């Protein structure tokens, strides 16, 4: 069963925290350091979560030298001698590790790798990357993990992705760097653009037009230094908690504010929550700031649809929790992607919230939630999904009675200090039961 965490209702809070560093950016920083032309890159404040450790371990097996200098610094050397023995890479729970690495390995002639993962990752769709990579000439097998890939000489393509997915887009762009000619990816809505921003900051010539991005093959970069900003997807949990507890206020220091990730701030404002942003600076093309969230008495319901969905895709579970306390009908649609995340998040969130007393109707591509309804403690299985574990911990903070989160260790993949921050902010220390 793994670890169980028991949460109880908490009160209003006023606090300031440095949320964990951004997961998407840490993965990319590690990978882009490993494929630099030469030298050793310095990654400051990387996320120490398990997902990013999976990426580091895979890169090490492929030939990168990794130095875990301290909790605040990891150094990754550019791979000079790729491991040409067939390797097995364990991507753990991390879709980003698997999909982006496939993009890198597709054009790495001489390298053969089999990429696998845990029970959750083993069920996730990989056809979405093997389809475009095969069109580029890659040899890749496995509709679901394990995926075996053998590096080939690649040709460029112009690819219309059926999904707004940064993982698909990034895999194709990374392969495009190794292909002859110009590779273009077009997506139905703009997904997070971290890869594009980092490419540009590292000197790659990239063209962006609407929802299309093109890159010429044959480009590379020198080693670099990057300080990873805080993760808005992790801050989302305590932002929602502040919204749920009238009289609360929370400030997130050094938070990543890339516009392709800030959909949650737009939604909070629609709900009536004040979000004050103090812009700080820029880290390799990524805007960073301090953000203060202040609660309000009445919470307005909201609609999440269309282009907004990819800008807050990972925050939908906790926004669904918040919707249970909004005054009226909240509609979430165009979010079918939630069904292929670490769990089927439409099913798991709806079932869990219903168990706690909420009025939720799951739909094919989202949820309809009518509020406000009081919540009651329940037993919720994270089913290996970190964001499910944390979303229900936030629901527990307004519920009557105890909430047991089973398989809570999943939380470590993106927010190792979540229980500690929960205690620090709310004054309620979750009880830990190790099975
Ligand atoms: C990620 C992209 C998103 C997101 C995931 C991280 C990334 O997935 O849900 O947590 O780092 O590129 P998709 O690109 O599949 O939507």
């Amino acid at each position: 069963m793994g670890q169980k965490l028991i949460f109880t209702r908490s009160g209003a809070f006023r606090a300031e925290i440095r949320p964990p560093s951004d997961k998407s950016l840490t993965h990319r920083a590690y990978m882009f350091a490993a494929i630099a032309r030469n030298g050793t890159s310095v990654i400051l404040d990387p996320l120490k979560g398990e997902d990013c450790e999976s990426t580091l371990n895979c890169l090490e097996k492929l030939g990168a030298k990794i130095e875990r200098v301290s909790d605040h610094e990891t150094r990754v050397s550019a791979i000079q001698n790729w491991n040409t023995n067939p390797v097995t890479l364990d991507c753990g729970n991390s879709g980003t590790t698997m999909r982006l690495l496939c993009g890198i390995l597709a054009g790495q002639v001489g390298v053969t790798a089999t990429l696998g993962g845990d029970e959750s990752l083993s069920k996730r769709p990989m056809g979405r990357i093997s389809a475009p990579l095969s069109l580029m000439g890659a040899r890749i097998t496995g509709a679901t993990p394990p995926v075996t890939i053998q590096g080939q000489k690649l040709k460029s393509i112009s690819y219309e992705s059926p999904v707004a997915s940064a993982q698909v887009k990034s895999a194709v762009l990374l392969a495009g760097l190794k292909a002859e000619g110009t590779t273009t990816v077009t997506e139905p809505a703009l997904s997070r653009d971290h890869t594009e921003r980092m490419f540009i900051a590292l000197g790659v010539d990239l063209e962006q037009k609407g929802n299309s991005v093109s890159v010429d093959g044959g480009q590379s970069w020198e080693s670099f230094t990057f300080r990873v900003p805080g993760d808005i997807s992790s801050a989302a949990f305590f932002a929602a908690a502040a919204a749920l507890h009238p009289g609360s206020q929370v400030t997130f220091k050094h938070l990543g504010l890339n516009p392709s990730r800030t959909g949650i701030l737009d939604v909070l404002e629609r709900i009536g929550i004040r979000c004050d942003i103090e812009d700080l600076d820029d880290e390799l093309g990524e805007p960073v700031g301090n953000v203060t969230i202040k609660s309000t008495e009445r919470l307005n319901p909201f609609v999440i649809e269309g282009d907004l969905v990819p800008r807050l895709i990972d925050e939908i579970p906790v926004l669904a929790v918040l919707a249970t306390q909004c005054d009226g009908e909240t509609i979430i649609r165009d979010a079918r992607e939630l069904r292929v995340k670490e769990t089927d998040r439409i099913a798991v969130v709806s079932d869990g919230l219903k168990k706690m007393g909420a009025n939720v109707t799951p739909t094919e591509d989202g949820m309809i939630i009518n509020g406000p309804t009081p919540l009651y403690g329940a037993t919720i299985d994270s089913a290996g999904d970190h964001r499910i574990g944390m979303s229900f911990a936030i629901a527990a903070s307004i519920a009557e009675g105890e909430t047991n989160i089973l398989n809570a260790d999943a939380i470590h993949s993106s927010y190792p200090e979540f229980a500690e921050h929960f205690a620090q902010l709310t004054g309620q220390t979750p009880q830990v039961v190790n099975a």
Side-chain angles (χ1 to χ4, degrees), residues 23-24 28 96 99-100 128 164-168 170 192 313-314 337 341-342 387:
K23 186 153 80 75
S24 292
R28 283 164 176 77
T96 307
R99 295 192 177 117
L100 268 60
R128 55 178 57 198
S165 160
Q167 294 179 355
V168 172
S170 302
R192 61 189 67 187
I313 187 73
D314 291 339
E337 273 299 295
K341 293 294 177 188
E342 285 82 332
R387 300 203 199 279

Side-chain angles (χ1 to χ4, degrees), residues 146-427:
V147 172
T148 297
I149 187 157
Q150 206 180 353
Q152 302 293 316
K153 202 164 174 310
L154 301 179
K155 55 178 184 289
S156 56
I157 55 166
S158 185
Y159 187 64
E160 295 240 353
S161 175
V163 283
S165 160
Q167 294 179 355
V168 172
K169 176 174 59 178
S170 302
V172 177
L173 291 175
L174 284 161
L177 290 175
K178 286 273 176 190
E180 212 165 286
T182 306
T183 295
T184 301
V185 192
T186 304
E187 35 181 8
L190 187 70
S191 64
R192 61 189 67 187
D193 63 359
H194 298 306
T195 297
E196 296 91 306
R197 283 172 186 259
M198 220 181 259
F199 274 16
I200 292 167
L202 294 173
V204 171
D205 196 8
L206 187 98
E207 198 184 325
Q208 288 165 296
K209 242 193 241 155
N211 293 345
S212 294
V213 51
S214 305
V215 70
D216 285 344
Q219 303 188 75
S220 62
W221 47 78
E222 296 287 337
S223 55
F224 55 90
T225 296
F226 178 50
R227 184 178 296 280
V228 186
D231 197 327
I232 193 162
S233 298
S234 297
F237 298 103
F238 295 111
L244 287 167
H245 292 278
S248 296
Q249 175 174 320
V250 60
T251 298
F252 300 104
K253 307 289 276 185
H254 205 257
L255 194 63
L257 290 171
N258 178 321
S260 64
R261 297 284 301 280
T262 52
I264 183 165
L265 300 181
D266 299 354
V267 169
L268 288 174
E269 290 199 337
R270 266 177 238 171
I271 293 175
I273 304 293
R274 244 183 80 187
C275 307
D276 292 326
I277 299 177
E278 183 200 339
D279 289 318
L280 290 181
D281 49 43
D282 183 287
E283 306 278 2
L284 278 190
E286 292 286 338
V288 176
N290 294 338
V291 178
T292 299
I293 310 282
K294 283 194 190 113
S295 69
T296 178
E297 284 301 322
R298 180 180 183 276
L299 303 175
N300 298 315
F302 53 93
V303 177
I304 294 178
E305 61 185 354
D307 289 359
L308 179 58
V309 174
R311 295 183 55 232
L312 46 59
I313 187 73
D314 291 339
E315 290 68 82
I316 292 178
V318 78
L319 286 171
V321 172
L322 189 49
T324 67
Q325 304 310 308
C326 292
D327 200 357
E329 185 171 82
T330 288
I331 300 171
I332 300 167
R333 57 178 160 238
D334 303 329
R336 192 173 281 105
E337 273 299 295
L338 292 176
R339 294 207 179 268
V340 291
K341 293 294 177 188
E342 285 82 332
T343 52
D344 175 342
R345 288 182 176 162
I346 294 178
V348 175
V349 169
S350 310
D351 289 351
L353 286 178
K354 275 194 228 167
K355 243 179 156 179
M356 295 183 80
N359 183 346
V360 186
T361 309
T363 62
E364 190 46 40
D365 64 351
M367 280 169 259
I368 299 170
I369 302 164
N370 275 282
T373 45
L375 298 186
Y376 302 94
T379 295
I380 307 287
D381 190 345
S382 84
D385 187 336
H386 51 134
R387 300 203 199 279
I388 295 299
M390 292 185 277
S391 297
F392 282 95
I394 300 305
S397 78
I398 54 161
E400 195 181 310
E402 269 181 13
T403 298
N404 295 285
I405 310 283
L406 308 184
N407 289 307
D409 357 23
I411 291 172
H412 295 140
S413 67
S414 64
Y415 203 153
E417 52 290 69
F418 178 77
E420 209 180 292
H421 282 181
F422 188 96
Q424 196 181 313
L425 261 64
T426 66

